[in-house]
């Protein structure tokens, strides 16, 4: 484990070498990339040493300030409290590092008496010895400048007004009871201000939620409660905040009220009519007005207010319209529109940090089925721009972690920083849970998942993450308590979605389909996401492809690919998806690769793979991406290998299959899917005698092909083509088809007809 890690730009290698040499002479164990072993992966070794080092010395220069690698390593060190920095050529470090002490090594030639060197060495030695921590952000950081008529400041006003919402109730296991607050969508008294007021509402809710003493319900859940009516909100929260907003030129009028739900009493109300350009002078006045009406106080470490995020009303309204589309996880066209709107926002105001963070999220968070290949740009660059403009903007740090695939020490430090800045950001909490889970800390993932579910009890991804983690831990009591709590607050559709999951996992596809279809029939909007996501999978597995396609969203070529119609390939190719993107998109690769082989176009698939000019190991990293398992690679590798074999690249096919086999063999547990994945590899290798028993074993344990990666008829899988004349394979195939047919017959036809007619 090194004492010191040195980060520098390649052009400054000579100085880095001198720094390493003199630090070593001072008795410190130093690592820099000149020590990189030739046989190890570059990023793997760097990340390990960066994480293990006690101090990280960053050497800034004009070139280093432009290096994404140097900035990433400095980000990690800063958040981990072990940053020591020096400037080499008079160039000040970029934001936010310019707020931290920096030694001056300009003109240093390796002597130990140089003032700047003494400062750098002293800081490094102090960190290594544990005598002190690295310097944090300077107290003299650049202050936020307020310009007249900046609408983002309105959210700050309302946040202060509404700090009266401190209350009593939603808690997780072992947590102190915390008041639950529902900040209902603000009413716009002028229709043309709708987007503006919606943004003020969302940012006000966020500002209140930064207080870790509260559970402030998230925007998705609050909008659902507002649509369900007053009684629904009273069941879910202890206090309700309501407000109306009217703007007139350079003035804004806010009428706000705080209602206690247990007795309906209006605890506090106030009208404010103020000019926006004196917002900070108003802070003490507003706080005085509501003094004594609040039960809690802002925690000393909570509620950090982002800086440098003011903008005009026009920009803010357009930004909020795009942000709303992203948050609701809408359809493909909405995502594309949001991307376009954000680009327009940044043309109008290139210094508006939240828009850079939102643009990074569009690039990094949109699932493959949402046409992500249409969205161009670097999510990491966008996120870094957001942080540069507003160093304590939680959304910027969360977006950077997402753009790094939520993997590695830098991503982990960034998402932890995001949650520290905004402890009520349900999306950041979810990503923190994912990071911990991927690192093998399943128990550690429960706490952020639980907090996210408390904030968004009506938002199915938040609740399902917690439920799945509890299920994997075998905590049946906590699972039952979660379902009971969802029913209590009125989110019964999530309890139904969990019933679908349980029926599906037990192999009762018809029961799962009928539960989902019955709930879908109600037409309730909140069912569209939670119920639709599970019902889509079940219907597709049962062969109800047109019906599944109605649930969406899916690309325009999806149905044709599922039906094995070659026209689907033509339509897909019309989108001009590049090879790298094609191989990262699950389940597109599986569906298209299957059809390329079945339609006699295997050469196209082989050529796509060869165009990458990658080793199998590099392709594995590309295909794996930020997925939580290796399934995408394992589903696609045998198909690619078959295409390579058919087109004269047997050795490349052999290498790819060898890596796939090793990957499956590393897995533990008794999941029958592992046996199927290995059987497909064996079949392409020509090892039928080994493949068929594995298939038989998996099917005897209840395995059914999981669409759309594998269709119900095993003959539609080109990886198993060598087995088609094997009698035992045919028996297994018929067994699966028989099971699917029996399940299909039990699906409620009346409910299916209603879905078809919808």
């Amino acid at each position: 484990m090194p004492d010191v890690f040195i980060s520098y730009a390649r052009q400054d290698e000579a100085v880095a070498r001198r720094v390493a040499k003199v630090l070593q002479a001072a008795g410190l164990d130093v690592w820099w990339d000149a020590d990189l072993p030739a046989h190890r992966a570059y990023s793997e070794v760097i990340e390990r040493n960066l994480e293990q080092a006690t101090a990280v010395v960053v050497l800034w220069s004009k070139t280093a300030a432009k290096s994404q690698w140097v900035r990433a390593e400095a980000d990690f060190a800063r958040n981990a409290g072990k940053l020591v920095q020096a400037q080499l050529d008079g160039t000040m470090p970029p934001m936010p590092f310019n707020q931290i002490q920096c030694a001056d090594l300009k003109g240093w030639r390796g002597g130990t008496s140089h003032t700047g060197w003494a400062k750098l060495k002293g800081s490094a030695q102090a960190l290594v010895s544990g005598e002190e921590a690295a310097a944090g952000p300077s107290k003299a950081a650049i202050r936020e400048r307020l310009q007249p008529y900046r609408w983002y400041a309105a959210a700050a006003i309302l946040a202060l007004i509404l700090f009266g919402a401190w209350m009593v109730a939603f808690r997780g296991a072992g947590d102190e009871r915390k008041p639950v607050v529902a900040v209902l969508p603000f009413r716009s008294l002028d229709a043309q201000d709708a987007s503006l007021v919606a943004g003020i509402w969302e940012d006000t809710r966020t500002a209140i939620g930064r207080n870790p003493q509260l559970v402030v319900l998230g925007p998705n859940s609050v909008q659902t409660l507002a649509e369900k009516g007053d009684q629904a909100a009273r069941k879910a929260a202890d206090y309700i905040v309501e407000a109306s907003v009217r703007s007139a030129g350079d003035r804004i009028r806010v009428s706000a009220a705080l209602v206690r739900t247990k007795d309906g009493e209006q605890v506090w109300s106030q009208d404010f009519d103020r000019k926006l350009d004196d917002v900070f002078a108003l802070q003490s006045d507003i706080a005085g007005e509501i003094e004594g009406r609040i039960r809690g106080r802002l925690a000393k470490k909570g509620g950090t207010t982002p800086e440098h995020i003011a903008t005009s009303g026009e920009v803010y309204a357009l930004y909020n319209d795009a942000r709303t589309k992203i948050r609701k996880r809408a359809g493909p066209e909405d995502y594309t529109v949001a991307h376009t709107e954000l680009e327009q926002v940044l043309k109008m105001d290139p210094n508006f940090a939240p828009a850079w963070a939102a643009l990074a999220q569009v690039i990094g968070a949109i699932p493959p089925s949402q046409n992500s290949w249409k969205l161009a740009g670097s999510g990491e660059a966008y996120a870094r721009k957001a942080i540069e403009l507003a160093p304590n903007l939680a959304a910027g740090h969360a977006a950077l972690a997402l753009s790094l695939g939520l993997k590695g020490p830098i991503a982990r430090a960034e998402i932890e920083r995001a949650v520290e800045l905004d402890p009520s950001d349900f999306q950041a909490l979810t990503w923190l849970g994912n990071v911990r889970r991927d690192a093998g800390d399943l128990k550690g993932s429960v706490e952020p998942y639980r907090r996210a579910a408390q904030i968004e009890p009506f938002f199915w991804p938040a609740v399902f993450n917690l439920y799945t983690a509890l299920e994997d831990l075998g905590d049946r009591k906590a699972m039952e308590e979660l379902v009971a709590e969802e029913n209590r607050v009125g989110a019964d559709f999530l309890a139904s979605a969990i019933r679908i999951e349980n029926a599906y996992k037990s192999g009762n596809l018809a029961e799962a389909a009928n539960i989902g279809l019955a709930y879908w029939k109600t037409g309730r909007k909140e069912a569209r996401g939670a119920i639709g996501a599970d019902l889509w999978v079940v219907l597709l597995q049962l062969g109800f492809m047109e019906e599944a396609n109605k649930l969406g969203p899916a690309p325009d070529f999806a149905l044709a690919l599922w039906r094995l119609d070659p026209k689907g390939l033509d339509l897909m190719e019309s989108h001009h998806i590049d090879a790298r993107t094609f191989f990262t998109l699950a389940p597109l690769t599986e569906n298209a690769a299957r059809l390329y082989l079945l339609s006699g176009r295997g050469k196209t698939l082989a050529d796509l793979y060869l165009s990458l000019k990658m080793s199998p190991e590099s392709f594995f990293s590309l295909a794996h991406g930020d997925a939580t398992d290796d399934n995408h690679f394992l589903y696609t590798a045998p198909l690619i290998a078959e295409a390579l074999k058919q087109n004269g690249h047997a050795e490349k096919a052999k290498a790819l299959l060898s890596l796939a086999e090793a990957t499956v063999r590393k897995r533990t547990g008794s999941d029958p899917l592992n046996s199927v994945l290995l059987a497909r590899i064996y079949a392409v290798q020509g090892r039928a005698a080994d493949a068929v028993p594995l298939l038989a074993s998996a099917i005897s344990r209840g395995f059914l092909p999981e669409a759309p990666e594998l269709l119900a008829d095993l003959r539609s899988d080109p990886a198993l083509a060598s087995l088609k004349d094997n009698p035992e394979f045919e028996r297994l195939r018929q067994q699966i088809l028989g099971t699917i047919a029996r399940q299909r017959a039990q699906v409620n036809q009346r409910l299916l007809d209603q879905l078809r007619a919808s």
Side-chain angles (χ1 to χ4, degrees):
M1 178 184 299
D3 293 326
V4 178
F5 177 103
I6 299 178
S7 175
Y8 67 100
R10 183 59 57 191
Q11 288 86 338
D12 303 320
E13 182 176 355
V15 182
R17 187 179 300 277
R18 286 199 298 272
V19 170
K21 182 178 179 180
V22 182
L23 286 176
Q24 287 168 340
L28 297 176
D29 183 4
V30 179
W31 190 94
W32 63 308
D33 61 12
D35 299 327
L36 188 68
H39 67 286
R40 296 296 301 277
Y42 184 79
S43 59
E44 174 190 341
V45 177
I46 286 180
E47 287 200 351
R48 188 189 71 240
N49 284 281
L50 178 63
E51 187 173 18
Q52 293 179 350
T54 309
V56 176
V57 173
V58 178
L59 304 178
W60 292 111
S61 65
K62 186 175 181 180
T63 304
K66 297 178 181 178
S67 168
Q68 289 192 6
W69 284 105
V70 175
R71 292 170 73 118
E73 290 159 2
D75 275 343
F76 173 77
R78 176 177 179 269
N79 291 330
K82 54 185 182 182
L83 173 63
V84 178
Q85 52 184 12
Q87 58 92 0
L88 307 182
D89 58 5
T91 300
M92 288 299 294
M95 293 177 63
F97 309 106
N98 60 348
Q99 302 175 29
I100 302 173
Q101 293 182 9
C102 182
D104 185 356
L105 291 187
K106 186 177 182 180
W108 178 69
R109 294 292 181 268
T112 57
S113 60
H114 190 281
T115 303
W117 171 254
K119 182 176 182 179
L120 183 150
K121 186 183 77 169
S123 296
Q125 287 177 326
L127 279 171
V128 171
S129 65
E131 293 176 6
E132 63 180 54
S138 167
K139 292 182 180 179
I142 299 174
R143 299 188 179 189
E144 181 176 357
R145 293 171 295 182
L146 178 69
Q147 297 182 22
Y149 325 131
R150 292 283 179 155
W151 283 103
Y152 213 93
I157 296 177
L158 287 169
L160 288 169
I161 294 173
L162 300 175
F163 276 156
W166 315 127
M167 346 304 82
V168 264
F170 210 136
R171 66 187 176 102
D175 289 342
E176 181 183 345
R177 292 180 68 86
K178 297 176 181 178
V180 180
V181 186
V183 183
L184 296 180
F186 294 169
R187 298 187 305 278
S188 173
L189 301 182
D190 190 333
Q192 67 181 11
D193 289 338
S195 290
L196 186 69
V197 173
I200 294 172
W201 159 68
E202 186 154 342
D203 285 306
T204 301
R205 186 206 60 77
T206 299
I208 297 172
R210 291 193 189 104
N211 186 338
Q213 297 177 2
L214 299 176
V215 174
V216 179
L217 297 181
N220 300 288
S221 294
V222 168
Q223 286 185 322
T224 298
L225 289 171
E227 292 168 1
K228 290 166 72 71
D230 185 62
Q231 289 303 313
R234 289 175 181 272
K235 288 171 61 178
D238 302 297
Y239 288 78
I240 294 173
V241 174
E242 300 173 307
S244 61
V245 183
R246 181 192 296 277
S247 67
D250 63 348
R251 305 190 70 84
I252 186 169
R253 172 171 292 175
V254 179
S255 300
L258 175 67
V259 177
R260 187 168 55 218
T261 60
K262 70 177 181 180
D263 54 14
E265 180 182 350
Q266 187 176 89
V267 178
W268 164 80
S269 66
Q270 182 87 29
D271 290 340
F272 291 87
D273 191 351
R274 296 288 193 272
K275 198 171 182 179
L276 284 177
D277 58 4
D278 61 356
V279 59
F280 292 106
L282 285 175
Q283 289 185 3
S284 59
D285 294 339
I286 296 172
E289 291 287 345
I290 62 175
E291 187 68 39
R293 298 183 179 89
I294 57 178
R295 295 190 59 241
R297 300 287 181 125
L298 198 65
K300 290 182 179 180
K301 295 183 179 179
T304 304
T305 302
E307 352 167 293
H308 313 307
I309 56 175
T311 194
S312 69
E314 181 184 6
V315 169
Y316 184 65
L318 184 60
Y319 155 74
N320 185 67
D321 191 61
R323 177 177 57 171
T324 300
K325 291 181 174 68
I326 298 168
R327 172 173 55 77
K328 290 184 176 180
R329 302 188 179 191
E333 294 307 317
D334 287 317
Y335 284 130
T336 304
V337 171
H339 185 268
T340 302
E341 287 179 337
L342 289 170
E343 289 181 325
Q344 181 62 29
V345 164
L346 292 168
K347 286 180 181 178
M348 298 164 67
D349 185 351
N351 294 318
F352 188 45
W356 287 107
L359 195 56
Q361 185 177 342
V362 168
I363 300 298
I366 308 307
S369 62
Q370 307 303 314
N371 294 356
S372 62
W373 60 84
K374 292 182 179 179
L375 307 181
S378 168
E380 181 178 349
Y382 297 153
R384 291 192 183 283
K385 182 67 173 179
I387 296 171
E388 178 183 338
L389 291 168
N392 60 354
L393 178 64
H397 293 277
L400 179 55
L402 180 67
S403 71
L404 295 172
L406 299 177
K407 295 186 182 299
I410 295 174
R412 183 167 67 249
E414 290 297 329
I415 198 62
E416 287 172 348
R417 176 66 172 155
V419 171
E420 177 187 4
L421 289 168
D422 188 351
S424 289
D425 184 337
F426 79 93
Q427 185 67 80
L429 285 163
T430 297
W431 291 339
L432 177 59
N434 293 346
V435 167
R436 291 180 177 176
R437 185 182 183 114
D438 290 347
D441 184 11
L442 185 56
K443 288 185 178 179
S445 72
V446 170
E447 184 270 328
Y449 282 156
R450 189 186 301 281
R451 176 77 175 173
Q454 290 174 339
I455 294 167
E456 283 284 20
F458 286 83
F459 192 50
W460 63 272
V463 177
F464 269 43
N465 283 327
L466 175 58
Y467 185 85
T468 302
L470 294 173
E471 184 178 41
D472 290 346
L473 286 170
D475 193 341
R476 304 300 304 180
K477 181 180 179 182
M479 292 165 63
E480 292 169 0
E481 290 174 348
L482 175 61
V483 173
E485 181 62 29
E486 290 299 312
N487 282 323
R488 186 191 70 77
V489 300
D492 58 314
F493 67 97
L494 284 170
S496 294
I498 289 171
R499 288 176 56 213
I500 296 174
E501 283 273 307
N502 290 337
Y504 179 79
K505 289 177 180 177
S506 68
N508 197 335
L509 304 185
E511 180 183 353
N514 288 334
I515 295 171
L517 288 167
Y519 212 102
W520 190 269
K521 174 191 172 185
T522 66
R524 292 171 59 180
K525 292 174 63 175
E526 65 266 29
R528 292 308 197 217
I531 303 299
D534 281 339
L535 185 56
W536 182 87
V537 174
V538 175
L539 293 179
L540 200 56
Q541 189 163 11
L542 289 170
F544 295 114
M545 296 179 179
E546 289 189 7
E547 293 80 358
N549 199 47
K550 277 184 168 289
L551 304 178
D556 52 4
F557 49 77
L559 183 57
L561 294 183
W562 300 338
R563 289 174 167 174
L564 304 180
D565 182 350
K567 292 180 182 178
L569 293 176
D570 299 332
L571 187 55
M572 180 199 72
E573 290 173 350
S574 71
H575 289 279
H576 306 292
I577 306 170
D578 66 274
R580 288 183 65 91
T581 303
F582 172 79
F583 285 113
T584 63
L585 298 177
L588 172 60
T589 318
E590 292 89 330
N591 284 263
R594 174 172 58 232
L595 190 49
Y596 272 129
L597 287 162
L598 291 176
S599 62
R601 295 162 66 176
K603 186 177 186 304
T604 301
L605 178 60
D607 288 346
L608 280 170
Y609 175 77
L610 294 171
S611 71
L612 297 174
K613 298 180 181 179
M614 286 183 173
S615 66
E617 290 75 17
S618 296
F619 177 73
F620 171 86
S621 298
L622 174 70
H624 186 279
D626 60 358
T628 57
D629 57 43
D630 310 318
N631 284 352
H632 179 53
F633 169 74
L634 293 172
Y635 276 125
T636 56
L639 299 175
I640 297 168
E642 180 63 26
L644 291 170
K645 282 178 58 181
Q646 291 179 8
N647 290 277
H649 302 283
E651 287 303 312
K652 291 187 179 296
K654 181 179 179 182
L656 189 59
L657 289 171
S658 177
L659 178 59
E661 181 177 353
T663 302
V664 178
R665 290 191 177 281
K666 288 179 183 177
R667 294 188 169 191
T668 58
S670 57
D671 188 346
L673 176 60
N674 294 337
S675 297
V676 174
L677 293 171
L678 192 56
R680 297 174 75 243
I681 294 168
Y682 285 167
V684 178
Q685 290 173 332
R687 299 164 58 181
D690 296 321
V692 173
L694 284 172
L695 284 176
S697 172
I699 293 168
S700 69
R701 287 177 283 152
F703 171 80
L704 290 174
E706 299 177 358
E709 289 82 1
L710 293 176
L711 300 182
D713 189 347
L714 294 183
R715 278 184 174 269
S716 67
D717 184 3
L720 300 176
S722 64
L723 308 181
K724 63 182 181 181
D725 295 327
N726 185 298
E728 177 63 7
F729 172 75
E730 182 60 26
R731 184 188 69 79
L732 296 172
R733 170 179 173 257
Q734 292 298 334
Q735 182 176 334
I736 289 174
L737 292 175
T739 300
I740 294 293
R742 287 191 294 274
Q743 292 286 331
R744 277 178 62 98
Q746 297 174 46
V747 175
N748 189 311
Q749 292 299 313
R750 179 177 55 81
L751 293 176
L752 268 178
D753 290 339
Q754 290 174 340
L755 174 60
R756 292 173 184 134
S758 65

